[in-house]
Amino acid sequence: MAPDAPETNPLDAVEDQLKLIIHDLHLINVAIHKYQGPETANALQSYIKTLIRHFLALAKSSTPTSLLPSIPPEIITYVEDGRNPDIYTREFVELAKRGNQYLKGKAEAFASFRDVLAEEIRVSLPELREGVETVVEGTGGRDVGTG
């Protein structure tokens, strides 16, 4: 059952090792169920040694904790307290949405202030008209210089 090609995904190696371990456990189960004396005992010893080798290979292939997805500790605490993680997700999305709306409002307020300030500078200091237009265009503002 061992693959010939090197694994591309580390989780595939872990999955293959788990399959081998399950197969070994099945063989041990069958050997115990049909126990017939010393020859079965020898086979059982062989199966157990193979199982131990596969457990060691699993331990080596699954050592990096980077294989596991990172779960924020807040979610783990939330679930351990007996709460639904879907509710946590919904609350998080609502909080992010509210924060985005706040920042969008702030950005729009600054853009409006930029446009009003640019217009006032154009009217008050006509010699700066070109520089003001460059700044407004560079910051994504609307063209209010034609008026």
Side-chain angles (χ1 to χ4, degrees):
M1 283 185 85
D4 294 334
E7 298 294 334
T8 55
N9 182 356
L11 289 178
D12 290 340
V14 172
E15 182 180 351
D16 290 341
Q17 290 298 325
L18 288 173
K19 287 178 183 177
L20 291 172
I21 289 171
I22 291 169
H23 178 71
D24 293 339
L25 289 171
H26 175 70
L27 291 176
I28 291 171
N29 187 24
V30 169
I32 290 173
H33 181 69
K34 296 184 177 189
Y35 189 81
Q36 296 176 356
E39 60 274 350
T40 307
N42 292 336
L44 197 53
Q45 275 184 335
S46 172
Y47 295 150
I48 291 174
K49 287 179 183 177
T50 304
L51 177 66
I52 291 171
R53 271 198 316 272
H54 287 150
F55 270 126
L56 290 173
L58 175 66
K60 287 180 185 175
S61 64
S62 64
T63 299
T65 56
S66 62
L67 295 178
L68 301 174
S70 61
I71 300 173
E74 298 86 24
I75 294 177
I76 294 173
T77 304
Y78 201 87
V79 172
E80 284 176 348
D81 290 341
R83 301 169 84 188
N84 187 344
D86 292 337
I87 294 172
Y88 178 87
T89 304
R90 187 177 342 119
E91 290 172 355
F92 182 80
V93 168
E94 288 172 1
L95 185 63
K97 190 176 173 182
R98 200 172 319 129
N100 286 344
Q101 288 173 344
Y102 173 74
L103 290 177
K104 181 180 183 238
K106 248 180 136 174
E108 288 174 354
F110 277 115
S112 175
F113 175 71
R114 175 203 56 219
D115 296 339
V116 169
L117 182 62
E119 185 58 33
E120 291 299 321
I121 291 175
R122 283 186 188 124
V123 170
S124 302
L125 304 166
E127 65 273 8
L128 297 178
R129 178 179 292 274
E130 238 179 79
V132 170
E133 289 174 5
T134 304
V135 170
V136 170
E137 287 175 15
T139 57
R142 57 187 169 84
D143 185 19
V144 292
T146 57

